[in-house]
Amino acid sequence: MPHLDQRRAELLRRRLAGDDFTTLARELDYTDAADAATAFAQALTNTEPLEPAARHEADRLALDELQHAIWDEATNGDLDAITTALAIHDSRARRLGLDAPARLEAVGPTAGPAAVTAAELDELLALVEDPPN
């Protein structure tokens, strides 16, 4: 069995590469998938912070594995599994920013000085100097 730090590094590396916890438990000598998942969570907490891209990938993989675990029950009509699948879907959409509000942009003429002819400017100045009664 590898040294503890090597084992933790291998667990992190392989989980971020996409291996599931059942495989990791079997091949890295954890009691079961739950034990491997707990070790993974502790490894994330006890190591240098992961770069955001790696953390996002770890989150994505976790959501994929959860969804995969309940998918058959959900597609067979189990209402609790359907609710769970929808919650996973909502979590994924939130994390990926899929439900972000649409950006609205103002359209129309660009803000800037108004285009005024010399004659119109003279007329406006005359009104300012000698306002109508």
Side-chain angles (χ1 to χ4, degrees):
M1 182 166 84
H3 183 270
L4 180 61
D5 288 341
Q6 292 172 334
R7 183 179 179 210
R8 179 176 32 216
E10 184 69 5
L11 175 67
L12 283 169
R13 185 189 69 71
R14 290 185 53 188
R15 178 65 183 142
L16 293 175
D19 285 355
D20 62 73
F21 288 119
T22 302
T23 301
L24 293 170
R26 182 178 60 250
E27 294 179 6
L28 296 178
D29 199 29
Y30 288 96
T31 307
D32 54 23
D35 187 33
T38 300
F40 178 74
Q42 288 173 344
L44 285 177
T45 302
N46 297 332
T47 58
E48 292 295 318
L50 290 175
E51 296 207 14
R55 185 159 302 272
H56 290 305
E57 182 65 10
D59 286 344
R60 186 191 66 76
L61 289 169
L63 291 172
D64 287 348
E65 192 163 335
L66 288 170
Q67 187 171 356
H68 179 73
I70 54 99
W71 191 251
D72 288 339
E73 291 85 0
T75 57
N76 286 327
D78 181 326
L79 294 180
D80 288 335
I82 291 169
T83 301
T84 302
L86 290 172
I88 293 167
H89 174 76
D90 289 345
S91 178
R92 182 187 319 276
R94 211 174 27 260
R95 291 166 191 255
L96 296 175
L98 300 177
D99 290 340
R103 274 184 72 174
L104 301 176
E105 293 184 31
V107 294
T110 58
V116 180
T117 65
E120 292 169 325
L121 182 57
D122 289 342
E123 186 180 339
L124 290 171
L125 290 173
L127 288 173
V128 172
E129 293 171 2
D130 188 22
N133 294 333

